[in-house]
Amino acid sequence: MSRPSANHTPTRPRPTRQPSRSDYRGPVDREWITLGDHRKRSTAILVIVAIILTIFLGRLVELQAVRGSALASEATGQRLKEIALPAARGAITDAAGNPLAVTVQAYNVTADQTLISDPVAAAAAMAPILSVDPAALAARLTGTRRFVYVAKNLTPENWQRIADLGLPGILKEGTSKRVYPDGSLAANLVGFVGADGKGLGGLEFGMQKELAGTDGTQTYERGQGGRAIPTAQHTKVEAVAGSTVKLTIDRDIQYVAQQAIADQVAAARAQSGTVVVMDPHTGKILALATAPTFDPNDFAKARSSDMGNRALSDVYEPGSTAKTMTMAAVIDQGAANPTSAFTIPGTLKRGDKVFHDDVAHGTWHLTLAGILAKSSNLGTILASERIGSRAFNSYLKKFGMGAPTGLNFPGESDGTLPAYKNWSQTTFPTLVFGQGMNVNAVQAASVYATIANDGVRVTPSIIDSVTAPDGTVTSGAAPQETVVVSPKTAKTVRTMLEMVVSKDGTAPKAQIPGYRVAGKTGTAQVAVNGRYGSDVVASFIGMAPADKPELVVAVTIVKPRVGRWGGQLAAPVFKDVMMSALKTRHVPPTGTVAPRIPLKFGKNG
């Protein structure tokens, strides 16, 4: 470092003046402005914060003070779980209280796949109990689903067998199952239910409201994992069970009727057959059998054609069994009596049609009783012409032709009867021997029940009573009664019908030792597209004891391939069913002998 010379004079700094505010420029001005903005911004921020706090506090007051209760309820509602409590379906019983359809406790088998370590082994253990394929069951148990159905509607016994295996992840779910203890017995009357427990056929469908009851509900609060909170409030509305429906059917008579008609349908290689058993005084149906039938416990395997009730849904031309109505009308009008004589030619022409009997013949000389016993179409036409078509039509209506039976059964047919205004010249002579109109089996049986009940038609019934869960019993509707013919006429017709069952009539195979039997055969041709073919409906309807009738049995055999005549095919079934029914109902023989009425007169008498 150099030293200053001796001649060097130090320079002194200039004195400076203090700046004034007006001297600030440039950067110094910007700094002053920035400081002002900071103050403004701070004030704005404070205002915004105050607004936010005000909004927050207002919202807090609203949530807690104003809407607190509602929001709490909403939150609780989100945790509430409501489950249905299915009502127990009411039973269906026969007249003595024997169960025909009942609901029993059952279990569904479920699985939590995540807990099953060896699906193949679990399936192998359960498959024999469930009667399923082990491989298919193993596939059902494999995966990550927490809930799957494995099997449904197991009996308590079978579930216990599953439970005893101790398999992890295999659980149960309580349910119920509809069971028909006697299988196919009265199946076409009782009907069946679907997988959802609702009636799909027969009375199960027709009386769904009475049988179903009212489901209940149970509500509980769920905690973590969806489980019920034990200390939380639970509400429960109990289910109301369905009512018990008691039928007029007698289980023992029904069983015999089903066996008898099934055997004959098979023997005759027929398409189908029916049996109706009635109490003529009350109108109660004691048996309603059809063949073929089905098992409602396994209805999925049944043919749809076998699941209805043919005795009510299927109609046919009654043929000669309708002649009983004609004879009753003629006698009731006083136009003839059992011994009135009729000369019957080999043919009759009415309108543009030539009528004839089932067998060709020359001139017959028959009494009115003989016409019925021989089942002469031509004799019936001649007898009916004594009262005329208008009177005859009124009797058909009183007998219930073309009208509902009153049973209100699902799928029931009313049959057909041509409107009188539309009758042609051939309608009247055709109707009098049972062609040109249609009936179901119950309607046909009701005609004979009217004759058995001294001329009073009682509306058929199938429901005896309905018992509510509280024990209240409601009896079936009181039957309507219609006077069709006088008691004297009915008794006279019964005597004439006894001649049909005699050795000289068309149905000696309907005779029952020790009992007087009255009835009528029918062999009606089946019309297809307005033309009669070779197919027939063979029938027999009768009553016993004839002098004091207690029961009526009607039998139909539809389109037989072996045999043809009502006296040949239907009469033996009548005999078997009637004999059993008389025994079941403890009806003793009356011990009287049927009077003999001449069937012919003059040189043929």
Side-chain angles (χ1 to χ4, degrees), residues 318-332 368 371-373 375 380 392 395-396 399 431-434 437 444-452 484-485 489-490 492-498 500 518-522 540-543:
S320 294
T321 58
K323 292 172 181 173
T324 296
M325 290 188 288
T326 305
M327 296 301 170
V330 170
I331 293 171
D332 201 56
L368 188 66
I371 291 172
L372 189 60
S375 198
T380 304
F392 178 68
Y395 278 96
L396 291 180
F399 272 112
L431 288 174
V432 298
F433 60 82
M437 61 179 171
S446 180
V447 170
Y448 285 75
T450 300
I451 298 301
V484 181
V485 296
T489 295
T492 301
V493 173
R494 291 200 299 266
T495 304
M496 292 170 60
L497 289 172
E498 286 190 80
V500 176
K520 184 71 185 74
T521 56
F540 182 86
I541 312 175
M543 62 197 75

Side-chain angles (χ1 to χ4, degrees), residues 35-162:
L35 290 174
D37 287 346
H38 276 303
R39 292 190 184 97
K40 293 178 180 179
R41 289 175 182 172
S42 297
T43 302
I45 289 172
L46 290 175
V47 172
I48 292 172
V49 169
I51 293 173
I52 291 174
L53 289 175
T54 301
I55 293 173
F56 177 78
L57 290 173
R59 180 64 172 166
L60 186 62
V61 170
E62 178 192 10
L63 293 177
Q64 291 187 344
V66 179
R67 296 183 58 199
S69 177
L71 291 173
S73 298
E74 182 177 343
T76 303
Q78 293 176 352
R79 297 194 303 271
L80 292 179
K81 173 69 174 179
E82 182 178 281
I83 60 174
L85 300 177
R89 192 172 181 84
I92 300 176
T93 75
D94 79 341
N98 298 306
L100 298 173
V102 294
T103 297
V104 298
Q105 178 67 44
Y107 295 97
N108 296 330
V109 181
T110 68
D112 182 340
Q113 294 174 340
T114 65
L115 300 179
I116 301 174
S117 58
D118 191 344
V120 174
M126 290 193 293
I129 302 173
L130 301 178
S131 299
V132 297
D133 176 60
L137 181 56
R140 187 112 185 113
L141 300 177
T142 303
T144 58
R145 295 169 63 185
R146 300 299 302 270
F147 182 93
V148 294
Y149 280 110
V150 175
K152 292 186 176 183
N153 290 325
L154 264 68
T155 63
E157 294 75 17
N158 277 343
W159 161 248
Q160 190 58 50
R161 292 175 64 191
I162 295 291

Side-chain angles (χ1 to χ4, degrees), residues 171-521:
L171 308 170
K172 72 176 180 180
E173 177 186 71
T175 184
S176 60
K177 181 180 181 181
R178 196 63 164 172
V179 174
Y180 303 88
D182 292 320
S184 63
L185 187 74
N188 301 89
L189 177 62
V190 172
F192 57 98
V193 299
D196 60 357
K198 295 182 179 179
L200 295 180
L203 293 174
E204 290 275 34
F205 173 78
M207 302 199 71
Q208 168 67 19
K209 181 179 179 181
E210 291 82 357
L211 292 166
T214 304
D215 291 344
T217 58
Q218 182 172 5
T219 304
Y220 64 89
E221 191 173 343
R222 295 176 294 182
Q224 188 174 6
R227 296 183 179 182
I229 301 174
T231 57
Q233 183 177 1
H234 293 216
T235 60
K236 186 176 183 181
V237 178
E238 295 289 351
V240 178
S243 298
T244 295
V245 176
K246 184 166 74 170
L247 308 182
T248 60
I249 294 295
D250 184 302
R251 184 176 64 175
D252 294 337
I253 299 176
Q254 178 74 27
Y255 176 82
V256 172
Q258 284 193 207
Q259 290 298 308
I261 194 62
D263 290 347
Q264 191 66 309
V265 165
R269 291 168 50 202
Q271 181 184 89
S272 62
T274 66
V275 174
V276 181
V277 183
M278 287 183 66
D279 180 333
H281 309 299
T282 63
K284 292 182 178 181
I285 295 178
L286 308 179
L288 201 61
T290 73
T293 185
F294 74 106
D295 185 350
N297 291 306
D298 196 11
F299 68 86
K301 295 181 179 179
R303 297 186 304 175
S304 59
S305 59
D306 295 338
M307 299 170 72
N309 197 310
R310 293 184 178 91
L312 287 163
S313 63
D314 292 5
V315 295
Y316 63 98
E317 292 192 349
S320 294
T321 58
K323 292 172 181 173
T324 296
M325 290 188 288
T326 305
M327 296 301 170
V330 170
I331 293 171
D332 201 56
Q333 288 286 297
N337 61 55
T339 59
S340 296
F342 291 85
T343 299
I344 304 166
T347 61
L348 283 175
K349 186 177 181 181
R350 296 293 183 268
D352 59 355
K353 184 175 180 180
V354 176
F355 293 89
H356 55 80
D357 281 323
D358 288 333
V359 294
H361 61 80
T363 300
W364 278 350
H365 300 276
L366 300 177
T367 63
L368 188 66
I371 291 172
L372 189 60
K374 295 294 185 181
S375 198
S376 170
N377 295 342
L378 304 183
T380 304
I381 293 173
L382 293 173
S384 67
E385 289 175 338
R386 293 192 178 187
I387 64 170
S389 60
R390 187 176 296 276
F392 178 68
N393 179 59
S394 69
Y395 278 96
L396 291 180
K397 288 183 174 296
K398 287 192 291 184
F399 272 112
M401 298 300 96
T405 63
L407 295 177
N408 298 315
F409 192 84
E412 177 182 342
S413 171
D414 295 346
T416 60
L417 177 66
Y420 183 71
K421 64 180 180 179
N422 297 327
W423 285 20
S424 68
Q425 289 182 309
T426 59
T427 302
F428 176 41
T430 302
L431 288 174
V432 298
F433 60 82
Q435 288 185 345
M437 61 179 171
N438 287 286
V439 298
N440 63 42
V442 172
Q443 288 174 320
S446 180
V447 170
Y448 285 75
T450 300
I451 298 301
N453 193 41
D454 286 339
V456 178
R457 179 177 181 268
V458 181
T459 304
S461 61
I462 199 70
I463 305 300
D464 182 84
S465 64
V466 176
T467 302
D470 63 2
T472 302
V473 178
T474 303
S475 299
Q480 295 182 350
E481 296 187 355
T482 303
V483 176
V484 181
V485 296
S486 70
K488 181 179 179 181
T489 295
K491 183 177 180 181
T492 301
V493 173
R494 291 200 299 266
T495 304
M496 292 170 60
L497 289 172
E498 286 190 80
M499 302 307 298
V500 176
V501 183
S502 71
K503 63 182 180 62
D504 297 318
T506 58
K509 290 186 177 182
Q511 294 177 8
I512 298 175
Y515 291 87
R516 289 171 59 178
V517 175
K520 184 71 185 74
T521 56

Side-chain angles (χ1 to χ4, degrees), residues 557-576:
I557 308 288
V558 180
K559 296 183 179 180
R561 292 290 174 264
V562 178
R564 180 177 180 85
W565 309 106
Q568 174 193 20
L569 297 177
V573 177
F574 164 88
K575 177 180 179 178
D576 291 343

